[in-house]
Amino acid sequence: MNEPVRDTRAISCADDYDPNSMPVGKAREVIARFLQPVTAAERVNVRAALGRILAEDVVSPLNVPAHDNSAMDGYAVRHADLKGDGDVTLKVAGSSFAGAPYRGAVKSGECVRIMTGGVVPQGADTIVMQEHVKAAGDKVAIAPGHKKGQNLRRAGEDLKIGQVALKRGLALRPAEIGLISSLGIGEVAVYRKLRVAFFSTGDELVSIGSQPKEGQIFDSNRYTIHGMLTRLGCEVIDMGVVRDDPRLLERAFGEAASSADVVITSGGVSVGEADFVKDLLNKLGEVVFWKIAMKPGRPLAYGKIGPAHFFGLPGNPVSVMVTFYQFVRDALLVLSGRDPVPPLPTFKVPCTSSLKKAPGRTEFQRGILSQDAAGNWSARVTGEQGSGILRSMSEANCFIILPTEQGNVTPGTLVEVQVLEGLV
Ligand code: AMP
Ligand code: MG
C-alpha cells in the first residue's frame, strides 16, 4: 500500500492531469492512494462469515485428506503381488468402506475390497478399479498393467497440517465456508464491517411516503445506494434527504463524518451547485471536485472529511450507479480489508447495435449480453441511454465500456463488456 497522501489539494495541483477532464484510470489511482483498510476484527461463527473478509490466515489444523484413501471403487492390493506377464488371483480378506476401515494389514496374496473414500489399509499401495478385475466368490483375478500407487489419494495431498488454507483479505464465499468447515474450524476472525453514511441532496426530492408537490420527484438514489452498499457487505447509515441549504448540509456532513468510515452523497456536485458545496467541504475537510472524462458521471467529488472518506456522486440516477461501480466499489472493498481486490473481469464480444460515441471520454453504456441459437454471445444497448433513465440500468446485465479514443461503433465491432451479475 502506498503512503497515504494527506492533502488532496496538493495532488489536484501537482499531478500531470487536466483538472477539467480527469481520465477514469487516473481518478481511480488518486483515490487508491488514500485508502487505509480497517484493522479491527471480530470472531464470528463460520456460517455468519459468509460475505465477510478474513482478518487472519486460516491455517490447517489437519492433513486433508487425513489418510491415504481410495479414489475409486475397487480393490486395495500390494503392487508387488501383481504379475508383469499374466493374471494373478488374490484372496479378498475384508473390506474398507468410507467411515469403516479395514482393521489389519493386507498380507501377500491378499487384497481388500475398497470403496471411494475408504482408508487404504496397511500393506496395500495400489487400487485396482472394480471394472478391471474378475471377481468370483472371495477371489479376484487381476490382469497385468497396473501402476504402483494408482487411484490413491495421499494423506495431506490437498492440505498439510500447518499449511495456510485461506489467506487474510479473502472474501468468504460458500466454497470457503465449506473449506473452513472441512477443517473442523467453527469460528473465524473477520474484519468489522465498514460503516457508510449516505444522504441525498436536493430541494426537489421527497422520500417514499410523502406526496411530491409540483416539480418534486421521489428520491431514488438513496435506495439504489442502500442496495449497492448492502450487497458489498457494508453497515449502512441512511441519513435521508438534505435540502440545498448550507446550514443543513454542514450539519449533515459533520454528523455523517463523525459516525462513519465513509460518507457518500448524491447530487450537488455539478457546476453551479459545486461552488457552494465546494466552499463548505473545503471548510470541513480536503475535497477535490473532478470533471471526469466519462459518460455518464462527469462530476465527482472525492476527499476526506476528518478521518472519513467522502464520495460526492452526481445526482442523475444512472450516473450514481456508474460512478459507484467504477470508483466507489473498489475503494470500499480496499477499506473493508479485501486484499487483493481482484479486478472485475471484462471481455470482448461483437456489438449488434450501432452506437454514437465521441472520442475523448470513456463511456459506460448499459448493455444486454445475450446468446444466439448457435451459442455465440453478443451485446446490444438497452435503448435510450440518458443518465436520468434508471430503467436502462434495470434492463442491463452488462456495461459496454467504450474507451476514450473510441468513436462511433458500427454493428459487428468488438466491444468490451463488464458483466453486472455474479454467480457466487
Ligand atoms: P444535481 O447533480 O443535484 O444537479 O442533480 C442532477 C439531476 O439528478 C437532477 O435532475 C435531479 O433532480 C436528479 N437527482 C438528484 N438527486 C436525485 C435523487 N436522490 N433521486 C433521483 N433523482 C435525483
Ligand atoms: Mg441537486
Side-chain angles (χ1 to χ4, degrees), residues 9-49:
R9 274 178 302 192
I11 49 149
S12 72
C13 301
D15 278 2
D16 56 341
Y17 66 84
D18 169 10
N20 292 319
S21 194
M22 165 85 100
V24 170
K26 184 72 186 175
R28 284 196 188 115
E29 230 176 79
V30 173
I31 293 169
R33 292 189 217 157
F34 290 83
L35 306 174
Q36 291 291 331
V38 296
T39 51
E42 52 185 334
R43 298 196 73 77
V44 297
N45 177 278
V46 65
R47 279 201 186 99

Short mmCIF file of all heavy atoms in Angstrom, two decimals, residues 9-49:
data_model
loop_
_atom_site.label_atom_id
_atom_site.label_comp_id
_atom_site.label_asym_id
_atom_site.label_seq_id
_atom_site.Cartn_x
_atom_site.Cartn_y
_atom_site.Cartn_z
N ARG A 9 -5.67 18.56 -2.01
CA ARG A 9 -5.50 19.73 -2.89
C ARG A 9 -4.11 19.69 -3.50
O ARG A 9 -3.89 20.09 -4.63
CB ARG A 9 -5.70 21.02 -2.13
CG ARG A 9 -7.17 21.40 -2.09
CD ARG A 9 -7.41 22.64 -1.31
NE ARG A 9 -6.93 22.50 0.06
CZ ARG A 9 -7.21 23.37 1.02
NH1 ARG A 9 -7.95 24.42 0.76
NH2 ARG A 9 -6.75 23.18 2.23
N ALA A 10 -3.13 19.16 -2.72
CA ALA A 10 -1.78 19.07 -3.23
C ALA A 10 -1.75 18.21 -4.48
O ALA A 10 -1.14 18.58 -5.48
CB ALA A 10 -0.85 18.48 -2.17
N ILE A 11 -2.44 17.05 -4.44
CA ILE A 11 -2.38 16.20 -5.63
C ILE A 11 -3.17 16.79 -6.78
O ILE A 11 -2.81 16.63 -7.92
CB ILE A 11 -2.87 14.77 -5.36
CG1 ILE A 11 -4.21 14.80 -4.66
CG2 ILE A 11 -1.88 13.93 -4.62
CD1 ILE A 11 -5.04 13.65 -5.01
N SER A 12 -4.23 17.48 -6.46
CA SER A 12 -5.03 18.02 -7.55
C SER A 12 -4.24 19.06 -8.33
O SER A 12 -4.49 19.30 -9.49
CB SER A 12 -6.34 18.61 -7.04
OG SER A 12 -6.11 19.80 -6.35
N CYS A 13 -3.26 19.67 -7.68
CA CYS A 13 -2.45 20.67 -8.37
C CYS A 13 -1.18 20.04 -8.95
O CYS A 13 -0.78 20.35 -10.06
CB CYS A 13 -2.01 21.77 -7.41
SG CYS A 13 -3.41 22.60 -6.67
N ALA A 14 -0.57 19.13 -8.18
CA ALA A 14 0.76 18.67 -8.54
C ALA A 14 0.75 17.65 -9.68
O ALA A 14 1.71 17.55 -10.43
CB ALA A 14 1.44 18.05 -7.31
N ASP A 15 -0.30 16.90 -9.81
CA ASP A 15 -0.28 15.82 -10.80
C ASP A 15 -0.50 16.33 -12.22
O ASP A 15 -1.10 17.36 -12.45
CB ASP A 15 -1.32 14.77 -10.45
CG ASP A 15 -0.79 13.83 -9.38
OD1 ASP A 15 0.35 14.03 -8.93
OD2 ASP A 15 -1.51 12.92 -9.01
N ASP A 16 0.02 15.52 -13.15
CA ASP A 16 0.00 15.97 -14.53
C ASP A 16 -1.30 15.58 -15.25
O ASP A 16 -1.32 14.81 -16.16
CB ASP A 16 1.20 15.39 -15.27
CG ASP A 16 1.23 13.88 -15.18
OD1 ASP A 16 0.58 13.31 -14.29
OD2 ASP A 16 1.90 13.26 -16.00
N TYR A 17 -2.37 16.07 -14.75
CA TYR A 17 -3.61 15.84 -15.49
C TYR A 17 -4.33 17.16 -15.66
O TYR A 17 -4.07 18.13 -14.97
CB TYR A 17 -4.52 14.83 -14.76
CG TYR A 17 -5.04 15.33 -13.44
CD1 TYR A 17 -6.19 16.14 -13.38
CD2 TYR A 17 -4.40 15.02 -12.26
CE1 TYR A 17 -6.65 16.60 -12.17
CE2 TYR A 17 -4.86 15.49 -11.05
CZ TYR A 17 -5.98 16.28 -11.01
OH TYR A 17 -6.44 16.74 -9.82
N ASP A 18 -5.25 17.17 -16.62
CA ASP A 18 -6.05 18.35 -16.84
C ASP A 18 -7.22 18.30 -15.87
O ASP A 18 -8.06 17.41 -15.98
CB ASP A 18 -6.52 18.32 -18.30
CG ASP A 18 -7.57 19.38 -18.57
OD1 ASP A 18 -7.79 20.24 -17.70
OD2 ASP A 18 -8.17 19.32 -19.65
N PRO A 19 -7.27 19.22 -14.92
CA PRO A 19 -8.31 19.14 -13.90
C PRO A 19 -9.70 19.28 -14.48
O PRO A 19 -10.69 18.95 -13.85
CB PRO A 19 -7.99 20.27 -12.92
CG PRO A 19 -7.13 21.20 -13.70
CD PRO A 19 -6.42 20.40 -14.75
N ASN A 20 -9.79 19.76 -15.72
CA ASN A 20 -11.10 19.91 -16.34
C ASN A 20 -11.61 18.59 -16.91
O ASN A 20 -12.76 18.47 -17.28
CB ASN A 20 -11.06 20.97 -17.44
CG ASN A 20 -10.85 22.33 -16.82
OD1 ASN A 20 -11.45 22.63 -15.79
ND2 ASN A 20 -9.99 23.12 -17.42
N SER A 21 -10.73 17.61 -17.01
CA SER A 21 -11.13 16.35 -17.60
C SER A 21 -10.19 15.25 -17.13
O SER A 21 -9.19 14.95 -17.76
CB SER A 21 -11.10 16.48 -19.12
OG SER A 21 -11.78 15.41 -19.68
N MET A 22 -10.52 14.68 -15.99
CA MET A 22 -9.67 13.66 -15.37
C MET A 22 -9.98 12.29 -15.98
O MET A 22 -11.13 11.86 -15.97
CB MET A 22 -10.00 13.67 -13.87
CG MET A 22 -9.50 12.48 -13.11
SD MET A 22 -7.82 12.70 -12.60
CE MET A 22 -8.06 13.17 -10.91
N PRO A 23 -8.96 11.60 -16.52
CA PRO A 23 -9.24 10.26 -17.06
C PRO A 23 -9.70 9.31 -15.94
O PRO A 23 -9.28 9.45 -14.79
CB PRO A 23 -7.90 9.80 -17.62
CG PRO A 23 -7.05 11.02 -17.72
CD PRO A 23 -7.55 11.98 -16.69
N VAL A 24 -10.55 8.35 -16.30
CA VAL A 24 -11.11 7.42 -15.33
C VAL A 24 -10.01 6.71 -14.52
O VAL A 24 -10.05 6.64 -13.29
CB VAL A 24 -12.01 6.38 -16.06
CG1 VAL A 24 -12.41 5.25 -15.13
CG2 VAL A 24 -13.24 7.07 -16.65
N GLY A 25 -9.01 6.20 -15.25
CA GLY A 25 -7.94 5.44 -14.60
C GLY A 25 -7.16 6.29 -13.61
O GLY A 25 -6.77 5.82 -12.54
N LYS A 26 -6.96 7.55 -13.96
CA LYS A 26 -6.21 8.46 -13.09
C LYS A 26 -6.98 8.72 -11.80
O LYS A 26 -6.40 8.72 -10.71
CB LYS A 26 -5.97 9.77 -13.86
CG LYS A 26 -5.12 10.77 -13.13
CD LYS A 26 -3.68 10.32 -13.11
CE LYS A 26 -2.84 11.24 -12.24
NZ LYS A 26 -1.46 10.72 -12.13
N ALA A 27 -8.29 8.94 -11.93
CA ALA A 27 -9.11 9.18 -10.74
C ALA A 27 -9.06 7.98 -9.81
O ALA A 27 -8.91 8.12 -8.59
CB ALA A 27 -10.55 9.47 -11.16
N ARG A 28 -9.12 6.78 -10.37
CA ARG A 28 -9.03 5.57 -9.54
C ARG A 28 -7.70 5.50 -8.81
O ARG A 28 -7.64 5.17 -7.64
CB ARG A 28 -9.12 4.32 -10.43
CG ARG A 28 -10.52 4.02 -10.92
CD ARG A 28 -10.56 2.58 -11.44
NE ARG A 28 -11.82 2.33 -12.07
CZ ARG A 28 -11.97 2.06 -13.38
NH1 ARG A 28 -10.92 1.98 -14.16
NH2 ARG A 28 -13.17 1.86 -13.88
N GLU A 29 -6.64 5.85 -9.54
CA GLU A 29 -5.30 5.82 -8.98
C GLU A 29 -5.17 6.79 -7.80
O GLU A 29 -4.61 6.45 -6.76
CB GLU A 29 -4.33 6.29 -10.06
CG GLU A 29 -3.14 5.44 -10.33
CD GLU A 29 -2.39 6.05 -11.51
OE1 GLU A 29 -1.67 7.05 -11.31
OE2 GLU A 29 -2.58 5.56 -12.65
N VAL A 30 -5.68 7.99 -7.99
CA VAL A 30 -5.58 9.01 -6.93
C VAL A 30 -6.34 8.55 -5.69
O VAL A 30 -5.82 8.59 -4.57
CB VAL A 30 -6.10 10.37 -7.43
CG1 VAL A 30 -6.15 11.37 -6.28
CG2 VAL A 30 -5.23 10.90 -8.55
N ILE A 31 -7.55 8.05 -5.89
CA ILE A 31 -8.36 7.60 -4.76
C ILE A 31 -7.61 6.48 -4.01
O ILE A 31 -7.54 6.48 -2.79
CB ILE A 31 -9.75 7.10 -5.24
CG1 ILE A 31 -10.56 8.28 -5.79
CG2 ILE A 31 -10.50 6.41 -4.11
CD1 ILE A 31 -11.83 7.89 -6.54
N ALA A 32 -7.02 5.56 -4.80
CA ALA A 32 -6.35 4.39 -4.19
C ALA A 32 -5.24 4.80 -3.22
O ALA A 32 -4.96 4.09 -2.25
CB ALA A 32 -5.80 3.49 -5.29
N ARG A 33 -4.61 5.94 -3.45
CA ARG A 33 -3.51 6.38 -2.59
C ARG A 33 -3.96 6.73 -1.18
O ARG A 33 -3.15 6.80 -0.27
CB ARG A 33 -2.85 7.63 -3.17
CG ARG A 33 -2.11 7.37 -4.45
CD ARG A 33 -1.34 8.62 -4.78
NE ARG A 33 -1.34 8.83 -6.23
CZ ARG A 33 -1.14 10.01 -6.79
NH1 ARG A 33 -0.93 11.08 -6.05
NH2 ARG A 33 -1.13 10.13 -8.10
N PHE A 34 -5.23 7.00 -1.00
CA PHE A 34 -5.71 7.45 0.31
C PHE A 34 -6.26 6.34 1.18
O PHE A 34 -6.60 6.56 2.33
CB PHE A 34 -6.83 8.49 0.12
CG PHE A 34 -6.34 9.79 -0.41
CD1 PHE A 34 -6.14 9.98 -1.76
CD2 PHE A 34 -6.04 10.82 0.48
CE1 PHE A 34 -5.67 11.17 -2.25
CE2 PHE A 34 -5.57 12.03 0.00
CZ PHE A 34 -5.39 12.21 -1.37
N LEU A 35 -6.38 5.13 0.62
CA LEU A 35 -7.20 4.13 1.30
C LEU A 35 -6.41 3.32 2.33
O LEU A 35 -5.46 2.63 1.99
CB LEU A 35 -7.82 3.20 0.25
CG LEU A 35 -8.61 3.94 -0.84
CD1 LEU A 35 -9.06 2.95 -1.92
CD2 LEU A 35 -9.80 4.69 -0.27
N GLN A 36 -6.82 3.44 3.56
CA GLN A 36 -6.23 2.66 4.65
C GLN A 36 -7.30 1.68 5.16
O GLN A 36 -8.28 2.12 5.74
CB GLN A 36 -5.82 3.58 5.81
CG GLN A 36 -4.66 4.50 5.50
CD GLN A 36 -3.35 3.74 5.37
OE1 GLN A 36 -3.17 2.68 5.99
NE2 GLN A 36 -2.45 4.23 4.55
N PRO A 37 -7.08 0.39 4.96
CA PRO A 37 -8.13 -0.57 5.34
C PRO A 37 -8.40 -0.60 6.85
O PRO A 37 -7.54 -0.23 7.65
CB PRO A 37 -7.54 -1.92 4.91
CG PRO A 37 -6.40 -1.61 4.02
CD PRO A 37 -5.91 -0.25 4.36
N VAL A 38 -9.60 -1.03 7.20
CA VAL A 38 -9.93 -1.21 8.62
C VAL A 38 -9.00 -2.27 9.19
O VAL A 38 -8.53 -3.15 8.46
CB VAL A 38 -11.40 -1.65 8.86
CG1 VAL A 38 -12.38 -0.61 8.40
CG2 VAL A 38 -11.69 -3.00 8.20
N THR A 39 -8.75 -2.20 10.49
CA THR A 39 -7.91 -3.23 11.11
C THR A 39 -8.67 -4.01 12.17
O THR A 39 -8.31 -5.14 12.47
CB THR A 39 -6.65 -2.60 11.75
OG1 THR A 39 -7.08 -1.52 12.59
CG2 THR A 39 -5.69 -2.08 10.69
N ALA A 40 -9.72 -3.41 12.74
CA ALA A 40 -10.46 -4.08 13.81
C ALA A 40 -11.16 -5.33 13.27
O ALA A 40 -11.66 -5.33 12.15
CB ALA A 40 -11.49 -3.12 14.40
N ALA A 41 -11.13 -6.38 14.09
CA ALA A 41 -11.72 -7.64 13.66
C ALA A 41 -12.64 -8.18 14.73
O ALA A 41 -12.63 -7.72 15.87
CB ALA A 41 -10.62 -8.65 13.36
N GLU A 42 -13.48 -9.12 14.34
CA GLU A 42 -14.35 -9.80 15.31
C GLU A 42 -14.38 -11.27 14.94
O GLU A 42 -14.14 -11.64 13.79
CB GLU A 42 -15.75 -9.19 15.28
CG GLU A 42 -16.37 -9.13 13.88
CD GLU A 42 -17.72 -8.42 13.87
OE1 GLU A 42 -18.41 -8.41 14.89
OE2 GLU A 42 -18.09 -7.89 12.81
N ARG A 43 -14.66 -12.12 15.95
CA ARG A 43 -14.75 -13.55 15.64
C ARG A 43 -16.21 -13.90 15.42
O ARG A 43 -17.08 -13.51 16.21
CB ARG A 43 -14.18 -14.40 16.79
CG ARG A 43 -12.71 -14.14 17.05
CD ARG A 43 -12.09 -15.23 17.89
NE ARG A 43 -11.91 -16.45 17.12
CZ ARG A 43 -10.94 -16.65 16.23
NH1 ARG A 43 -10.05 -15.71 16.01
NH2 ARG A 43 -10.86 -17.79 15.57
N VAL A 44 -16.48 -14.60 14.35
CA VAL A 44 -17.87 -14.98 14.06
C VAL A 44 -17.93 -16.47 13.73
O VAL A 44 -16.94 -17.07 13.29
CB VAL A 44 -18.49 -14.16 12.90
CG1 VAL A 44 -18.58 -12.68 13.23
CG2 VAL A 44 -17.72 -14.36 11.60
N ASN A 45 -19.12 -17.02 13.93
CA ASN A 45 -19.39 -18.39 13.55
C ASN A 45 -19.19 -18.55 12.05
O ASN A 45 -19.45 -17.63 11.28
CB ASN A 45 -20.85 -18.68 13.95
CG ASN A 45 -21.27 -20.06 13.54
OD1 ASN A 45 -21.64 -20.30 12.40
ND2 ASN A 45 -21.18 -20.98 14.48
N VAL A 46 -18.74 -19.73 11.66
CA VAL A 46 -18.40 -19.94 10.25
C VAL A 46 -19.57 -19.63 9.31
O VAL A 46 -19.38 -19.06 8.23
CB VAL A 46 -17.83 -21.36 10.03
CG1 VAL A 46 -18.86 -22.46 10.32
CG2 VAL A 46 -17.29 -21.52 8.61
N ARG A 47 -20.80 -19.97 9.72
CA ARG A 47 -21.94 -19.67 8.84
C ARG A 47 -22.14 -18.16 8.68
O ARG A 47 -22.46 -17.67 7.60
CB ARG A 47 -23.23 -20.25 9.43
CG ARG A 47 -23.41 -21.71 9.15
CD ARG A 47 -24.89 -22.04 9.30
NE ARG A 47 -25.12 -23.45 9.20
CZ ARG A 47 -25.29 -24.26 10.24
NH1 ARG A 47 -25.24 -23.79 11.47
NH2 ARG A 47 -25.49 -25.56 10.05
N ALA A 48 -21.96 -17.43 9.77
CA ALA A 48 -22.16 -15.97 9.74
C ALA A 48 -21.03 -15.28 9.00
O ALA A 48 -21.09 -14.08 8.74
CB ALA A 48 -22.26 -15.44 11.16
N ALA A 49 -19.97 -16.02 8.65
CA ALA A 49 -18.82 -15.41 7.99
C ALA A 49 -19.02 -15.26 6.48
O ALA A 49 -18.20 -14.64 5.80
CB ALA A 49 -17.56 -16.24 8.25
#
